[in-house]
Amino acid sequence: MHPAVSVIFFTVTSGAGFGLIALIGLGWPMHDGPLSAFLACALAGGLAVAGLLASTFHLGHPERAWRAFSQWRSSWLSREGVLAVATLALFAAYALYWMLTGQRAMPLGVAVAVLALLTVISTGMIYASLKTVRQWHSVLTPLSYLGFALASAMPLAAAIGTDRSVRTIVLAAGVLAVAWLIKLAWWRRARASEFMPGSDTGTATGLGGIGKARLLERPHTGENYLTKEMVHRIGRKHARVLRLIAGGAGFVAASAFLALALVALPGIFLSLAFASLIAGLLAERWLFFAEARHSVSLYY
Amino acid sequence: MPANAGTAKRRVDLSPHVSDEVRQTTCYMCACRCGINVHLRDGKLRYIEGNRDHPINRGVLCAKGSAGIMQQESPAKLRKPLLRTGERGEGKFREIEWEEALALATQWLSDVRKSDPKKLAFFTGRDQSQSLTGWWAQQFGTPNFAAHGGFCSVNMAAAGIYTYGGAFWEFGAPDWEKTELFLLFGVAEDHDSNPIKIGLSRLKARGVKTIAINPVRTGYNAVADEWVGITPGTDGLFLLSIIHELLKAGHVDLDYLIRYTNAAWLVIDDLTSADHGLFACDKDGNELVADRRNGAVSSRRDRGAKPALKGRFRLADGREAVPVFELIARKYLDARHAPEATAMTTGVPAEQTRSIAAQIAHAAFEKTVTVEQPWTDMNGEHHERMVGRPVSFHAMRGISAHSNGFQSARALHLLQILIGSIDTPGGHRFKPPYPRPVAAQPKPHGRNPQCGEPLPGPHLGFPEGPEHLLLESDGVTPIRLDKAFSWDAPMSSHGLMHMVIANAHARDPYGIDVLFLYMANMAWNSSMNTSAVMKMLADKDADGNHVIPKIIYSDAYASEMVAFADLVLPDTTYLERHDAMSLLDRPISEPDAMCDAIRWPVLEPDRDVRGFQSVLLDLGARLGLPAMVKEDGSAKYRDYADYLVNHERRPGVGPLVGWRGVDGSKTGRGAPNPDQLQRYIDNGGFFREHVPAKAAYFKHANAHWQEWAIARGLQDKPFENVFQLYLEPMRKFQLAAEGRLEPQPPESHRERIRRCFDPLPHWYPPFEGEAVSTADFPLHAITQRPAAMYHSWGSQNAWLRQIHGENALFVPGSVCDAAGLADGDFADVISPHGRIRVPVKRMEAVNGKTLWTWNAIGKRSGAWTLSPDAPEARKGFLLNHLISELLPPKGDGLRWANSDPVTGQAAWFDLKVRIEKAPEQPAVSTPQFPAQQNPVRHKDGAVTWGAEWQP
Amino acid sequence: MTSLPRHTEKKLGLVIDLDTCVGCHACVVACKEWNTGGYGAPLADADAYGSHPMGAWLNRVHTFEVTPPDAPAQIVHFPKSCLHCDNAPCVTVCPTGASYKRSEDGIVLVDESMCIGCGLCAWACPYGAREMDPVANVMKKCTLCVDRIYNENIPEVDRVPSCVRTCPANARHYGDLADPQSAVSMLVAERGGMDLMPEMGTRPVNKYLPPRPKMKAASEALPEAVPGFLGWLDRALERLG
Ligand SMILES: Nc1nc2c(c(=O)[nH]1)N[C@H]1C(S)=C(S)[C@@H](COP(=O)(O)OP(=O)(O)OC[C@H]3O[C@@H](n4cnc5c(=O)[nH]c(N)nc54)[C@H](O)[C@@H]3O)O[C@H]1N2
Ligand SMILES: Nc1nc2c(c(=O)[nH]1)N[C@H]1C(S)=C(S)[C@@H](COP(=O)(O)OP(=O)(O)OC[C@H]3O[C@@H](n4cnc5c(=O)[nH]c(N)nc54)[C@H](O)[C@@H]3O)O[C@H]1N2
Ligand code: SF4
Ligand code: SF4
Ligand code: SF4
Ligand code: SF4
Ligand code: SF4
Ligand SMILES: [Mo]
């Protein structure tokens, strides 16, 4: 699949944003005072909104984006939109209440957190629900989105919050490790099966019964929407480099910064952990798209 | 309920307004000439669909036909007459008024006509008005006229006419509804594109088998039930092997042979005489046959005789003679024609050849088709029914575009005739006005052109011996610039357009003054050796004058050729002008009906352009050509439309057969009808009259047919049409080469004529393959027509160019493996004449020694107003750079034309090459040429056709 | 899934005969010319005369090479447009409801005025049957010529899809696949019409008729004439009288 920058940016940042919203909703200890409350909530909401805004760049008709809320009964994209808006709305209420009263409304916060995590899951489900991309079509996809949303939110929460205890940082490191374990499982599975079980050029054309089928000529000599959007192919070397960046920045460096945060300058190192994790996730997400093989490539 | 649950609540306009008006005319996105319904909305093209009533396409349309909208919208359409301002080939022009253009052309042409008319060479491409252009050239008085047939498929046309008075494509078609076996030789698209596709689907529906003989298994060949992946250039041999099998098994139709062919005619066997190998004749010139009961020799017209097919008979003068059939049996029963003996060369396993022979025999003799229709033959004999041998064939350039193509096509016709299938039910059927045997065809004209005098007859024709050649009095020097009807190509019935530029440049046999071309992209895909031809066109002599002094060209679009012209006469598009698909020329008949058709301006040009035929008539009048001016010297025809209605070639016979006579009640013969074109328009653009059932088959010998054809002016008298299995004119050329007949060919040509002009179908290896070593050039390289592109002119079409915007060379898997080639790699392809560097693609469904690519996709940078970095120019390529118009030099330094020695047909598919992975992998194919400029502007951005009709 | 009709009265669709298709692209261009001036926005062609022309098309013809284990490789031309799936994933993923399947005839359409151009439906379609228009930025797909097949402004014989009407090889058939007695259903039954990628569970309405088995070179040969060719000739001529 074509790795569109807007979508990569959207999934990574909105993941972190909704993760942070969830953590705040669950009562992550933050500095007192309306200003701090505002800053924390603005950061969380801002990340989520920035991601959502970025995703509209991907649309042919952003001015009609509101229509996307209508099909929540069947469409994960619609659900994601609805959930995101609901989350942000409730979160706004939560934030307002917090700023005004200095109190964190626990039941509301839990609801916000649940919605935020559901939003992240539904982002993952947009991809996981597509049978056409076998690598995505797995429960591991929303799990990994969830994992990375929390994993990226935790160092950020710790960096801006008041709890920088060993326990918390170790927990963040633990979540990061779990998220990467999910991703490793995802990668393993992805490598094992390019297309739906049984799908190949033979089933795509129905000609498999006669013999080995292969494409001789594309229908048109130039590119088309499908080849640009879905028949993207990346070089193996390229992929290996990106995987090293993803793992290096997103796990090795991020864990190292978390470890350093235990020793000194926790604010700075937690922030660095967050930044390197985001950098790693951008690479991870790039691969998520670029390496995915859509069944339409069986025709091209 | 969510909105996307499908319901009728949605607003979809199920009955939107479609078009304001439908105008019916004839497509010209290729030469198939289908009927089209042009839907207009707000005066613009809404869409084009097939005319369901039309005899050719019966409602269907091909990809090109449907893309007519984008042809009309092409930014490459020329807008105004042009005078060259830059160097030839640069593409710099100044727009001029028509008056200036016509005055200049008239000046150039009249100078030539007054001094030496042969210094005008007028050659035309795939236009549909050769009966006009040829007639014009005849009136002008130059011997140098021809259309493009010489590089297209003259082998097929000539072999057919000489053998049985017909041919494939416009001359005849398979009896799709009755045939029981169909064999397709060397066809990718054909001129008859839609009829063949319709026909193939009919065969599928009836469960009739198709066998495709083609090195490449795409298109029609892909859907065929059996594939023969033959090695290029060897079809003749394969066919003779089939004939070997049929003869051996006694599966030939003797009754048919005796009745309709020269199988029984006696051939003089007198090794030393000047008529050895000619037909024995009585004093009235009637060929003789021997009676098989008693050996008595008598005229073939003697109805009482029972002609012998074998044996040796004594003639009245004491010499001996043998029937043609005996020669046939002897020749083809020989072991060298056995399937085992030919398998190595043809690449066709002996079992497959045998099996195909058996299938042919089975269909022909076990599945006989009978039409219960009494008829009378030309001898007055009555037949109760029409009995047919339902095996049909179709063949095109895969056979003809080789230097042995004439003989290979003859071999195919021999096979058709031996099984008795020509114009019998289920076989191959003539399309009116055919059959037209050599006796009904003209001889070539062009001797002694006189200033200001028309030629006494048409340029092109069918020589029957050396006496009909167009040679100077020395008996050697060609009269024509293209050397047609000379010893180089004695039976070149369509001329040799591919030699015109090279010969004019070499001033061999002489230099010319004006080269006048129409609708032929000779600076690109139509020429062999394109790079060299571009240089020749631009070349200057020591004094700085162009070697080809003046070039006038008519094109409708900014093609590669336009850039080389001095004066450009911009034509209209096919939707903007009158045209005729005339029975005098290339009609649209089907076997069951005599048909012709017109085009008419369904759109008004929005530019200062004129239909070329009208311009030609205008020039003719300005030059004062006799048939084009009235007594008072004024123009006889207002324009082409006027000519179509009022011109009479013979009294009562004109370009169009329909609705003649003042009231439109006559067909074929009749006075001009001022309302004729309107009648065509009202009838959908065409005229059709069905052939009566009793004249439907056996037309070559059918008295009803003759009568019917004469009544309609297709011919003026009956023509006897005896199928010429043994082709005596060929023997005459051999006799000349043997030094027994005058005039005689020069020494250099004798061996070749002796060898290649066998009066019986004969196979010899294609010349280029013979001239080069197999070790150096082990592979064949050929092109195929893509269904969705028409030569060069489709690339300006915004839709078609997306389908074929670049081409790759398809390479057999084994060759890829040997050369280390993978898809997308660039390879060097090297022929004895040049090299190209091109992208390759692996393919298995192809003859293992054959490389191929789609024809004419590669474009010169900048041409057709495409952006200079268009894929057509950067990746696309022509094979033509590898093909030379001359064969590699022989020991004696003499270079032969890369053509069939009989007809001069360009041997495009004789090409031999080798392939190597390119040492470095570029992003563009080579050769590349400097971008040409255009007299019209490139169009940037998107096309959004139909935006204004959005609901 | 609430958003697909549980049942459609008809299942209008195409049956494509891979045995007969010669790969001529006639259907491709006829589709383009009908639809560019018809349903919805024009089917635009970006950079039409430039170095990267790229247009929206609703029907495209691919070329495959199939190599049987024991016979020479063969070529199959393969036209592909929307299959109007019964269980159309492109409809259910659509967030706006622009994509829908008509309950009366099963045609899958895009209401272009509602489409946000998110592309998700194209991702969900296994077959590559949807293309974003490069200028209008809305999703394009085969409409089954919904503005022809019911159109009272054109003659009744012409109320068939444009691609079907034009196909010179008669390789495209149109009809109601819900009706077992329809010509198309009978063709499917007789010729073993197949689904593309049945494993995707999309239940396509359009069917493909597989290529008929190619004939291998049989080893039959003609028996030699007895007694030899010349003997046969004598006898045969005698029979002619
Ligand atoms: N390698 C290779 N080369 C080949 C062949 C091959 O098989 N292989 N085939 C050969 C054969 S058979 C042929 S016929 C030739 C084809 O060669 P051409 O006939 O030269 O090919 P076209 O590209 O059709 O070019 C004809 C010219 O006519 C112009 N034209 C189109 N419509 C009109 C019109 O309405 N009026 C006027 N005045 N001009 C118009 C076009 O713009 C173009 O410049 O190519 C030959 N070249
Ligand atoms: N769409 C489309 N239609 C066209 C044209 C076009 O440009 N586009 N051009 C028109 C013109 S001008 C012409 S002349 C006709 C030509 O019509 P075709 O003769 O059908 O055209 P080619 O593509 O030259 O086809 C030659 C075929 O012969 C095969 N072949 C090559 N060598 C051999 C051989 O030695 N033996 C056998 N058995 N096969 C061989 C090739 O693989 C190819 O399939 O098409 C006309 N129709
Ligand atoms: S075959 Fe195609 S391009 Fe040629 S005349 Fe017919 S519709 Fe037009
Ligand atoms: S028009 Fe018919 S034969 Fe041609 S590609 Fe389309 S389906 Fe195949
Ligand atoms: S073919 Fe694709 S676009 Fe058409 S209905 Fe099926 S899934 Fe949807
Ligand atoms: S592109 Fe349009 S039709 Fe497709 S899913 Fe998005 S909104 Fe629906
Ligand atoms: S049915 Fe209509 S829209 Fe669909 S492919 Fe055919 S022509 Fe195109
Ligand atoms: Mo041609």
Side-chain angles (χ1 to χ4, degrees), chain B residues 195-214:
Chain B
I196 289 183
K197 294 182 187 85
I198 297 170
L200 286 173
S201 79
R202 289 297 303 143
L203 299 187
K204 291 272 181 187
R206 294 200 297 118
V208 170
K209 181 169 174 180
T210 295
I211 302 176
I213 297 86
N214 198 310

Side-chain angles (χ1 to χ4, degrees), chain A residues 115-133:
Chain A
L115 282 175
L117 295 179
L118 283 177
T119 307
V120 173
I121 287 172
S122 61
T123 305
M125 281 309 291
I126 295 173
Y127 305 107
S129 68
L130 298 175
K131 276 190 179 170
T132 49
V133 184

Side-chain angles (χ1 to χ4, degrees), chain B residues 259-260 375-379 435 698-703 706 721:
Chain B
R259 281 179 187 281
Y260 307 123
W375 64 286
T376 309
D377 69 27
M378 286 166 72
N379 294 320
F698 297 97
K699 296 194 190 85
H700 47 275
N702 188 320
Q706 298 283 337
N721 184 2

Side-chain angles (χ1 to χ4, degrees), chain A residues 6-7 52-68 77, chain C residues 95-96 115-120 132 136-138:
Chain A
S6 58
V7 177
L52 286 179
L53 277 181
S55 76
T56 62
F57 289 126
H58 181 63
L59 298 182
H61 282 277
E63 79 284 3
R64 298 180 189 158
W66 57 271
R67 289 191 179 273
L77 179 52
Chain C
T96 63
C115 173
I116 57 173
C118 67
L120 193 55
M132 191 82 77
N137 290 323
V138 291

Side-chain angles (χ1 to χ4, degrees), chain C residues 94-96 98-99 110 115-121 130 139:
Chain C
C94 175
T96 63
S99 274
V110 173
C115 173
I116 57 173
C118 67
L120 193 55
C121 53
R130 292 176 166 243
M139 195 51 76

Side-chain angles (χ1 to χ4, degrees), chain B residues 250-261 309 325 364-365 387-389 416-421 424, chain C residues 232 240:
Chain B
H251 281 294
V252 291
D253 187 337
L254 297 178
D255 182 48
Y256 188 92
L257 290 173
I258 292 172
R259 281 179 187 281
Y260 307 123
T261 78
L309 291 180
F325 192 72
F365 299 105
V387 180
R389 307 275 177 216
Q416 291 179 287
I417 296 168
L418 286 175
I419 59 170
S421 74
T424 69
Chain C
W232 167 83
L240 282 183

Side-chain angles (χ1 to χ4, degrees), chain C residues 35-241:
Chain C
N35 285 289
T36 195
Y39 184 97
L43 289 165
D45 302 289
D47 199 19
Y49 305 101
S51 54
H52 292 93
M54 191 178 116
W57 300 73
L58 311 184
N59 176 30
R60 293 181 187 254
V61 178
H62 305 237
T63 307
F64 288 92
E65 183 175 69
V66 195
T67 310
D70 55 350
Q74 68 190 71
I75 300 295
V76 179
H77 302 288
F78 194 90
K80 189 161 55 60
S81 51
C82 171
L83 308 169
H84 297 280
C85 305
D86 260 352
N87 190 18
C90 56
V91 169
T92 51
V93 298
C94 175
T96 63
S99 274
Y100 65 108
K101 185 170 173 73
R102 287 161 51 90
S103 54
E104 52 275 58
D105 52 21
I107 298 176
V108 174
L109 287 178
V110 173
D111 183 337
E112 292 176 9
S113 64
M114 290 168 71
C115 173
I116 57 173
C118 67
L120 193 55
C121 53
W123 288 15
C125 169
Y127 309 106
R130 292 176 166 243
E131 298 186 16
M132 191 82 77
D133 187 87
V135 170
N137 290 323
V138 291
M139 195 51 76
K140 288 285 184 183
K141 66 175 294 299
C142 160
T143 62
L144 206 68
C145 288
V146 69
D147 51 353
R148 276 184 77 87
I149 57 178
Y150 301 112
N151 196 326
E152 283 162 15
N153 296 316
I154 57 178
E156 198 165 343
V157 277
D158 285 339
R159 290 180 207 156
V160 293
S162 186
C163 57
V164 173
R165 188 194 185 294
T166 211
C167 173
N170 198 25
R172 305 176 75 85
H173 306 269
Y174 156 77
D176 181 5
L177 287 132
D179 171 4
Q181 296 310 312
S182 69
V184 278
S185 297
M186 288 176 21
L187 202 53
V188 168
E190 184 189 320
R191 295 274 309 280
M194 56 191 185
D195 286 351
L196 301 186
M197 287 199 260
E199 67 277 9
M200 288 289 174
T202 48
R203 286 190 279 121
V205 168
N206 285 11
K207 302 287 179 222
Y208 283 77
L209 306 179
R212 294 184 178 94
K214 296 287 175 195
M215 285 175 227
K216 296 189 191 117
S219 50
E220 58 176 310
L222 290 170
E224 249 179 77
V226 266
F229 175 70
L230 294 177
W232 167 83
L233 185 59
D234 284 335
R235 286 198 203 165
L237 285 171
E238 247 165 65
R239 256 178 277 135
L240 282 183

Side-chain angles (χ1 to χ4, degrees), chain B residues 6 48 52 292 310 801 844, chain C residues 33 48 65 101 158 234 241:
Chain B
I48 300 173
R52 287 187 188 271
R292 59 178 179 263
K310 64 165 214 223
R801 73 181 289 252
E844 308 294 342
Chain C
E33 68 155 354
E65 183 175 69
K101 185 170 173 73
D158 285 339
D234 284 335

